[in-house]
Amino acid sequence: MVVLALVAFAVAISLQMARDRWYPRDDIEREQILYVRSGAALKRMTLSFDALAADVYWIRAIQNYGGDRLSGSKAKTKYQLLFPLLDLTTTLDPYFNIAYRFGAIFLSEAYPGGPGRPDQSVALLQKAIEVMPQKWQYYHDIGFVYYWRMRDYPTAATWFQRAGAQPNAPNWLQPLAASMLVRGNDRAAARFLWQQIAKSEEPWLRRSAERSLLQLQALDLIDQFEAVIKRFPPAAGEQYTWDDFLRRRVLIRQPVDPLGAPYVIDPATGRVTVSEQSPLFPMPGEPRRLQ
């Protein structure tokens, strides 16, 4: 019976793939298809193959996130299936560590790079804690969401304290929590946290940390360029342009971010930002510069 069920399941998938090739749906319709929304019901349907089904839904979550991120669509349906897919994945396999941790990063990513839903990110990680209450990484990740995305430093410090109280937690968590309560949103703390995540065993988490460290480097460079702009403003009535600064030899070349994309300068205010064409866009909310 099990063999027959697997064969039938495989045939159904093949038929659906063929149908999608022959009668393609438009993007919005295709993205709205979620065959089963109840994790409990899906778990009953998959019998003893819930881990395999979890892998399938995890792949769908990645495809959904990547497809929406790369699309130019501004539809309200963008990213709407991400949390339901992650919820189904982790219901089918409650110990799916990467789905919790990297899924939380997906959810908290600012729009248009992600749904900008740190609340859903926290909910997913709290679900993980219910299953694995002694895993310090989940408490740490919730603290990081409150710190990096919500800018709620007291709550972030509380979660870092809880992380530090778990078995085998690193000894830097408790001092970090205490420091955060005193100093709040400084860029040095953000850099330290991402450096810790960059040591993760998971390649995806390391890549996310590396990108965020580059974003912090980009912010440092913006500080330097804006200091120069403030010191050598354009003539009265003139706009801020890189050509003007190059012509006056204030700069020797047009500034670029750490990945080589040219910075954008606001002609009216001189404010420098990362280009929307840069791989570092969208940038996070900026921690204050330490004096």
Side-chain angles (χ1 to χ4, degrees), residues 56-66 82 85-86 89 106:
V56 171
Y57 273 89
W58 170 236
I59 292 171
R60 288 196 67 196
I62 295 171
Q63 291 173 332
N64 174 267
Y65 173 76
L82 182 56
L85 286 168
L86 291 168
T89 300
F106 287 164

Side-chain angles (χ1 to χ4, degrees), residues 4-20 35:
L4 288 175
L6 287 174
V7 170
F9 187 58
V11 170
I13 291 175
S14 299
L15 288 172
Q16 182 61 47
M17 291 173 64
R19 191 260 182 223
D20 288 343
Y35 300 108

Side-chain angles (χ1 to χ4, degrees), residues 19-287:
R19 191 260 182 223
D20 288 343
R21 286 196 301 270
W22 295 334
Y23 306 103
R25 302 177 179 90
D26 59 57
D27 288 342
I28 294 178
E29 182 185 356
R30 183 173 62 249
E31 291 299 329
Q32 284 303 301
I33 295 176
L34 189 58
Y35 300 108
V36 182
R37 289 184 179 270
S38 168
L42 186 60
K43 199 171 180 68
R44 290 193 298 270
M45 292 168 59
T46 55
L47 302 176
S48 60
F49 301 98
D50 45 1
L52 176 61
D55 288 339
V56 171
Y57 273 89
W58 170 236
I59 292 171
R60 288 196 67 196
I62 295 171
Q63 291 173 332
N64 174 267
Y65 173 76
D68 280 352
R69 185 182 176 101
L70 293 174
S71 76
S73 171
K74 295 184 179 179
K76 294 181 180 179
T77 55
K78 195 170 183 177
Y79 299 115
Q80 281 191 356
L81 288 184
L82 182 56
F83 181 76
L85 286 168
L86 291 168
D87 187 49
L88 285 170
T89 300
T90 53
T91 297
L92 288 164
D93 184 354
Y95 298 93
F96 205 146
N97 180 60
I98 188 63
Y100 288 119
R101 299 199 71 194
F102 211 77
I105 291 178
F106 287 164
L107 291 165
S108 67
E109 188 77 15
Y111 191 87
R117 292 297 303 270
D119 57 323
Q120 292 181 347
S121 177
V122 169
L124 185 67
L125 291 165
Q126 287 177 325
K127 182 181 179 182
I129 289 173
E130 291 178 5
V131 181
M132 295 170 277
Q134 293 187 324
K135 196 172 180 66
W136 66 266
Q137 289 90 341
Y138 298 137
Y139 299 87
H140 164 275
D141 291 352
I142 291 177
F144 197 77
V145 171
Y146 275 105
Y147 173 82
W148 187 245
R149 297 300 181 192
M150 298 186 184
R151 296 295 185 254
D152 183 346
Y153 308 110
T155 303
T158 298
W159 280 100
F160 286 132
Q161 287 173 334
R162 293 183 65 182
Q166 303 309 310
N168 302 315
N171 57 13
W172 50 263
L173 278 166
Q174 293 290 1
L176 175 67
S179 173
M180 192 165 293
L181 286 172
V182 175
R183 295 196 301 173
N185 58 329
D186 66 75
R187 202 175 291 169
R191 182 172 283 107
F192 176 79
L193 284 167
W194 279 120
Q195 286 170 343
Q196 302 310 312
I197 295 175
K199 299 174 184 177
S200 169
E201 296 178 357
E202 301 290 350
W204 289 2
L205 288 174
R206 291 200 301 271
R207 286 196 291 270
S208 181
E210 289 164 1
R211 178 175 180 271
S212 295
L213 287 168
L214 288 172
Q215 287 179 320
L216 289 169
Q217 184 181 344
L219 293 175
D220 290 340
L221 290 171
I222 286 173
D223 286 343
Q224 296 174 22
F225 293 130
E226 288 187 340
V228 171
I229 289 168
K230 184 177 180 180
R231 186 178 176 187
F232 300 100
E238 297 293 326
Q239 291 188 325
Y240 292 87
T241 66
W242 293 129
D243 287 341
D244 174 59
F245 289 108
L246 294 172
R247 185 173 58 253
R248 291 189 286 136
R249 299 186 182 277
V250 174
L251 299 171
I252 59 173
R253 64 178 65 89
Q254 182 173 348
V256 296
D257 68 30
L259 291 181
Y263 280 110
V264 175
I265 187 169
D266 186 294
T269 66
R271 181 172 179 265
V272 179
T273 56
V274 166
S275 168
E276 292 187 8
Q277 279 67 54
S278 171
L280 299 180
F281 181 86
M283 295 285 282
E286 302 183 7

